[in-house]
Amino acid sequence: MRCKKCPHRAAIKLPQHNISLCKDCLTEFVHAQVARAIKSQKMFTPDNRILVAVSGGKDSLALWAILLKLGYRADALYVDLGIGNYSIQSRQKVEHFNETVAQPLGATLHIHTLAENEGAGVKELATMMHRPTCAACGTMKRYHFNRMALQKDYDVMATGHNLDDEAARLLGNVLRWQTDFLEKQTPALPASLDGFAKKVKPLYRLSEREMAAYAVINKISYIVDECPMAKGSKMLVYKEVLNRLETESPGTKQAFYWNFLDKHAKAQTDSGTIASHDRQRLTPCQTCSQPTSMAICTYCKMMAKARAHV
Ligand code: AMP
Ligand code: ZN
């Protein structure tokens, strides 16, 4: 099998695009898709300072690598959640990538460790708060991503969510018709005046398989295991279902999410609406000053519960 773009042997077949590509052309293809995502969604410019949230997984490390290769000013934040061996290994992957690739290019890695700052790992904190671990984890991560972006004056925060992540989330939201959440499912959420940093997902045009191939071809060492807390999660079921559909008719995932984005963009233009992100009335949290729709933010309420338990 030959590469569609050059005489080399193909390394991967992409049925949804009806092409096969060699290693170099796959790398070029991924870079082009990211560049297109950044431009078409007006994510950021070369002058902006970007904070990439890196988990040690293939997507976020590849994203950091790609942004640096494309010449962007990208630093990163790793939140050490203290989930046993999983966190130890993912932190090692992030630190290794930082030392070998990012630092030599002048980038900085920030690390926030829950055990040091919040007094315990996310599993223990969740138990003390009587919250499901994944819900507590989501709150912690979102809180620290936003806080670090604002405190250190980054223009935008980027995560490694790929097409499979976004299509699975869309399926979950549609199945329950959670229209409030649909509003926020765009790859670029603007900063709000009240203190939410701008958030972008530059990998939304690329599938999990394409990102895995990119990471392997470009010798990015990443943690392969899923978070042990995510076992049996609904998201994994939605991904499986979408993969079955994708095998039957290549391009389904892409059509599902991209067509949603087209319709969403059109609906906004037609009605002149501003994203609900901007419309919400937010005030500084009375405890930590981060933006919240309540007097005390969810993070501070959760931490107060956890402290009461100690
Ligand atoms: P996940 O929800 O685990 O699929 O992660 C989605 C995205 O969130 C990743 O691509 C990263 O950008 C970010 N992320 C997840 N976990 C962490 C973490 N512990 N520290 C920093 N960023 C993270
Ligand atoms: Zn707070």
Side-chain angles (χ1 to χ4, degrees):
M1 198 170 52
R2 295 274 143 217
C3 173
K4 167 103 176 194
K5 301 203 169 167
C6 79
H8 291 139
R9 214 161 60 93
I12 185 171
K13 198 172 168 183
L14 304 176
Q16 77 275 31
H17 301 293
N18 211 7
I19 50 170
S20 297
L21 296 174
C22 71
K23 291 179 180 179
D24 288 349
C25 289
L26 185 268
T27 297
E28 234 174 70
F29 169 83
V30 169
H31 290 180
Q33 291 294 332
V34 173
R36 190 164 166 190
I38 295 169
K39 196 168 169 211
S40 69
Q41 300 284 328
K42 299 189 176 64
M43 292 185 175
F44 42 77
T45 65
D47 294 334
N48 290 146
R49 289 179 66 233
I50 306 153
L51 182 66
V52 186
V54 289
S55 64
K58 62 180 186 319
D59 302 296
S60 49
L61 284 182
L63 174 60
W64 198 10
I66 295 165
L67 294 182
L68 290 172
K69 272 188 205 163
L70 294 179
Y72 287 103
R73 302 162 71 194
D75 291 344
L77 167 66
Y78 171 72
V79 179
D80 188 334
L81 299 157
I83 307 175
N85 232 351
Y86 172 75
S87 290
I88 293 172
Q89 282 179 18
S90 54
R91 182 170 176 152
Q92 279 169 358
K93 297 292 182 190
V94 171
E95 285 177 333
H96 175 76
F97 182 89
N98 180 46
E99 281 154 26
T100 53
V101 180
Q103 231 173 27
L105 291 171
T108 302
L109 169 67
H110 306 280
I111 297 185
H112 180 94
T113 307
L114 291 196
E116 278 168 23
N117 295 281
E118 273 81 3
V122 76
K123 252 194 309 190
E124 295 74 23
L125 287 172
T127 310
M128 292 180 213
M129 297 160 183
H130 306 291
R131 293 280 308 267
T133 309
C134 294
C137 183
T139 302
M140 290 285 162
K141 284 192 289 198
R142 276 192 300 277
Y143 182 83
H144 288 298
F145 293 165
N146 198 59
R147 196 155 99 163
M148 180 69 77
L150 293 175
Q151 267 181 358
K152 306 251 178 204
D153 267 338
Y154 286 97
D155 297 295
V156 54
M157 240 216 65
T159 53
H161 292 96
N162 59 35
L163 175 63
D164 292 45
D165 295 323
E166 293 310 291
R169 189 148 82 102
L170 179 60
L171 181 59
N173 287 336
V174 167
L175 287 175
R176 286 188 214 85
W177 286 114
Q178 285 172 310
T179 43
D180 297 5
F181 293 160
L182 288 181
E183 273 284 294
K184 292 189 185 170
Q185 255 221 270
T186 49
L189 278 178
S192 76
L193 293 175
D194 323 78
F196 273 125
K198 179 171 182 176
K199 294 190 183 70
V200 298
K201 296 173 181 172
L203 302 184
Y204 81 93
R205 302 180 62 88
L206 291 152
S207 71
E208 188 119 17
R209 208 171 139 256
E210 288 159 354
M211 289 316 298
Y214 180 91
V216 172
I217 288 169
N218 288 279
K219 301 191 171 52
I220 295 173
S221 174
Y222 62 89
I223 180 151
V224 178
D225 296 342
E226 289 278 348
C227 171
M229 298 293 121
K231 281 214 176 84
S233 86
K234 277 270 162 37
M235 278 306 237
L236 293 181
V237 179
Y238 297 148
K239 281 190 179 177
E240 258 177 55
V241 170
L242 286 168
N243 278 336
R244 274 214 51 202
L245 292 170
E246 185 73 26
T247 311
E248 295 293 328
S249 15
T252 302
K253 256 183 259 183
Q254 185 179 304
F256 183 48
Y257 185 54
W258 294 9
N259 289 351
F260 159 76
L261 291 180
D262 286 347
K263 289 194 189 316
H264 183 269
K266 187 164 184 318
Q268 292 229 318
T269 320
D270 288 353
S271 64
T273 45
I274 305 162
S276 61
H277 195 62
D278 262 355
R279 269 193 272 125
Q280 246 173 15
R281 276 201 148 268
L282 299 170
T283 48
C285 164
Q286 286 174 8
T287 312
C288 73
S289 308
Q290 289 294 293
T292 173
S293 53
M294 302 165 287
I296 310 273
C297 77
T298 313
Y299 167 86
C300 287
K301 276 191 194 150
M302 279 173 31
M303 285 310 296
K305 254 194 192 173
R307 282 194 200 99
H309 203 277
V310 182

